[in-house]
Amino acid sequence: MKQTLPLPPEVVQQVAEYFSLLSEPMRLRLLHLLRDEEKCVQELVEATQTSQANVSKHLKVMWQAGILSRRSEGTCAYYRVEDQMIFELCNRVCDRLATRLEEQARNFRVLNSKR
């Protein structure tokens, strides 16, 4: 039987921090808005109907993690997705959730048909 090597604590911490980036609904909303093109902070504020401080806070976290890139033009900051792999990860999670929901729906239909 193959022995699994222990993961160094630093690696586990970095992986956990990366996944924690996606545990915030506002960050997922921002990523979705930035999926196809860069946008300025004001556009993101209007699209999310939240404060500039809130949007900027979440953008900064994702920028520091290397998921987003940022450029300035005049008084506007523009963000775009730098790490497109993030969408592959999100798509895999969504596909898995959809499969689970479909299985649950089938189970409910079976249960309902036995009445």
Side-chain angles (χ1 to χ4, degrees):
M1 180 148 70
K2 188 174 179 179
Q3 183 76 19
T4 302
L5 297 175
L7 287 173
E10 308 82 40
V11 171
V12 173
Q13 182 64 34
Q14 286 183 344
V15 171
E17 287 173 7
Y18 191 83
F19 278 112
S20 76
L21 291 169
L22 301 177
S23 68
E24 171 57 51
M26 179 56 71
R27 291 187 200 135
L28 293 173
R29 290 176 66 196
L30 292 168
L31 283 171
H32 179 72
L33 290 167
L34 293 167
R35 186 177 199 118
D36 297 322
E37 63 183 346
E38 75 175 9
K39 290 190 171 42
C40 72
V41 174
Q42 190 56 40
E43 288 175 296
L44 296 168
V45 167
E46 291 169 8
T48 58
Q49 297 183 337
T50 190
S51 70
Q52 181 174 342
N54 190 32
V55 168
S56 294
K57 173 185 75 169
H58 291 296
L59 292 171
K60 181 180 178 183
V61 168
M62 292 188 289
W63 173 73
Q64 289 174 328
I67 294 171
L68 301 180
S69 62
R70 174 177 67 190
R71 72 176 179 86
S72 295
E73 188 176 298
T75 59
C76 295
Y78 289 84
Y79 286 85
R80 70 179 177 87
V81 176
E82 187 65 29
D83 184 357
Q84 291 292 321
M85 187 278 308
I86 200 78
F87 295 120
E88 183 179 330
L89 182 59
C90 288
N91 287 340
R92 287 182 174 265
V93 170
C94 289
D95 288 347
R96 181 63 191 128
L97 290 172
T99 300
R100 287 179 62 202
L101 289 171
E102 288 165 2
E103 290 170 1
Q104 288 176 350
R106 268 194 307 276
N107 291 336
F108 282 116
R109 283 189 209 101
V110 167
L111 180 63
N112 196 29
S113 68
K114 292 182 179 181
R115 289 185 188 198

